Amino acid sequence: MNLIINIFSLVGSLALFLFGMKTMSEGLEKFAGDRLRNILGAMTKNRVMGVFTGIFITALIQSSSATTVMVVSFVNAGLMTLAQSIGVIMGANIGTTVTAWIISAVGFKVNIAAFAIPMLAIGMPLIFSGKSKRKSIGEFVFGFSFLFMGLSFLQEAATALNIGDMVAGMLAHVPQDSFFTILLFVIVGALVTMLVQASAATMAITLMLFGMNIPGFGFEQAAALAMGQNIGTTITAFIASLTANTQARRAALAHMFFNVFGVVAVLIVFYPACDAISWLVTDVMHGGNNPLYKLSAFHTAFNIVNTLLLIWFVPQIEQFVCRVLPEKEKDGPEKLKFISAGLLSTAELSLLEARKEIALFGERCLKQFNYVMSMHNVEKNEDFEQIFEKVKKYEWVTDNMEYEIAHYLQQVSEGRLSDDAKRQVQRMLREVDDLESIGDCAFNIARTLSRKRTNCKEHFTDEQLTNIQVMESLVQESLQIMVEVLNQPEGEGHDIHLSISLENEINRLRTFLRDENLQMLSQGAYDYQLGAFYIDAINGCEKLADYVLNVVQCKARKTRA
């Protein structure tokens, strides 16, 4: 019975460690969400700055997996190029070694759990604060406490289970001086990290085992496990990229290539590299009293050397991953381009992808309306029907995009969001609803033109056709402005006066043309049926323009008067 309790205690301690790391990471990302995005945008102009950005972000949020998934999300959303992402990923691998140094310095020597409980008391009022920033700080404090409590409990559970004796028993049958044993430890490190999906957790376990002075588990074996973890940690970003676009998959592949290349390169000079690190820590750093420093130094040196080797070959790495993952045939208009169910890395960062998708939604509405405008001067019925089918297809596309984006935003809203992010979600839901209505209006105008072509023998008069085209040009201009506004970053001021001016002009023109149509009908200038189709097209354009203004005002955080 004690054995079962100890096993569950070990697993529970690991779960607490992972939960603490996740909570701490998410709290920091929410607290500095916009700042993180601005840093990633401003500091990735060249590969060297990209590396330092990756180091800084990962050291801050204490998770290379979170950084790489964030980067893959940005690449998927078109906010970062593939070349920029490679530099950040290189830096993320260096930044994640900070965790090992913290654990080496205090994790197993100081009873940090004794300080963790009082820290929870500090975090408690922050967690229940009404302000999202304070709440995020509280989450970070709670996560930090849980992380080191989990680490402390992990050591206690491992001692109770006599993990050291168990590992020593397993290693007794493994040849110690064989290079194949080193390869075995690399594979084990990779598999365990793939399973746990947190290299910091497996590194903590490795440091704990190394500190137990287990026979057969020396510095070389621990270093091999650490190298394997660098391969295993790539699985998180790889999984996140499976449902993403080609560029995001390439970023994940570049991450995998970078880490695998580093492991292969170090394995070639493995024993001299271990000797060099031992000399550096013992004779230069004078850290011989703490053997864990050697493993932390190896982990850091491995990633720094790997980065120094490959940073000069970012263009070649980009070419390589592009060759391995060639661009697929261009997706049809029914495909979502930026968002996917697999890329909910954090709730707030996912809003960036939704924003890009909504901008694409607006562009497709404009394209649909352009098809409507091209229906007037088509002579052949076959050509007319082809254009009408395209408009009809885009109407289905807008319905589908509304559902998928709204469903995605619902998933995002299930996460812990700041107050500003909650307001963003509400605005986005309103925007996709109005954009879908724009698609419906465009299709209704096309259907009116189709019915007129089928059921009415008369053609629009030159004056009627001119009036329709003037109205459509005004609507097209308002759509173009809407697309520009949707493509602007969240939080920027949007000048909506031009959109309001166009809407007023469209309303005045609609009223004038409607009155003029009644006069022309009373004079018998043309058939009533033709006049009905004519005014239906005019009214359809005016109604469409109403929804366009709704979208622009919603993005500008204003309500319509």
Side-chain angles (χ1 to χ4, degrees), residues 151-202:
L151 193 63
S152 178
F153 295 155
L154 187 68
Q155 187 182 24
E156 291 176 9
T159 303
L161 272 172
N162 293 317
I163 288 288
D165 294 339
M166 293 169 60
V167 173
M170 287 187 289
L171 293 177
H173 305 288
V174 178
Q176 302 304 312
D177 299 327
S178 172
F179 187 71
F180 290 104
T181 301
I182 299 300
L183 293 177
L184 176 64
F185 274 96
V186 171
I187 295 170
V188 170
L191 292 176
V192 172
T193 308
M194 286 180 187
L195 183 65
V196 178
Q197 288 204 25
S199 60
T202 48

Side-chain angles (χ1 to χ4, degrees), residues 206-378:
T206 304
L207 286 164
M208 180 183 67
L209 294 175
F210 183 47
M212 290 180 176
N213 296 317
I214 301 170
F217 189 75
F219 173 51
E220 288 82 5
Q221 288 76 20
L225 270 180
M227 287 198 301
Q229 291 157 19
N230 278 271
I231 296 176
T233 194
T234 63
I235 195 67
T236 308
F238 179 75
I239 292 172
S241 72
L242 289 178
T243 54
N245 59 28
T246 304
Q247 283 294 90
R249 290 197 297 275
R250 286 170 175 171
L253 179 62
H255 183 210
M256 189 173 291
F257 167 79
F258 174 78
N259 286 18
V260 171
F261 175 87
V263 169
V264 172
V266 171
L267 280 174
I268 296 173
V269 292
F270 180 70
Y271 290 110
C274 289
D275 292 339
I277 294 298
S278 296
W279 168 79
L280 178 68
V281 173
T282 304
D283 297 340
V284 178
M285 296 173 57
H286 303 291
N289 294 331
N290 189 346
L292 300 185
Y293 285 157
K294 285 204 297 186
L295 186 55
S296 298
F298 179 89
H299 192 207
T300 303
F302 167 81
N303 286 293
I304 290 176
V305 171
N306 195 21
T307 298
L308 291 175
L309 284 174
L310 292 179
I311 193 173
W312 315 106
F313 301 100
V314 169
Q316 288 75 18
I317 295 173
E318 185 177 10
Q319 291 174 5
F320 169 75
V321 296
C322 289
R323 216 171 266 177
V324 174
L325 288 175
E327 192 72 57
K328 293 182 179 179
E329 292 184 11
K330 190 174 182 181
D331 291 334
E334 69 277 6
K335 301 293 185 182
L336 293 180
K337 185 176 180 182
F338 299 108
I339 67 175
S340 59
L343 279 178
L344 290 169
S345 55
T346 62
E348 305 225 358
L349 291 174
S350 297
L351 294 181
L352 289 171
E353 297 176 347
R355 172 55 61 202
K356 295 284 286 188
E357 201 68 67
I358 290 172
L360 179 64
F361 196 170
E363 291 171 9
R364 287 175 175 169
C365 288
L366 173 59
K367 190 171 184 180
Q368 180 192 24
F369 190 74
N370 288 339
Y371 280 126
V372 173
M373 294 179 65
S374 68
M375 296 175 71
H376 297 296
N377 298 318
V378 179

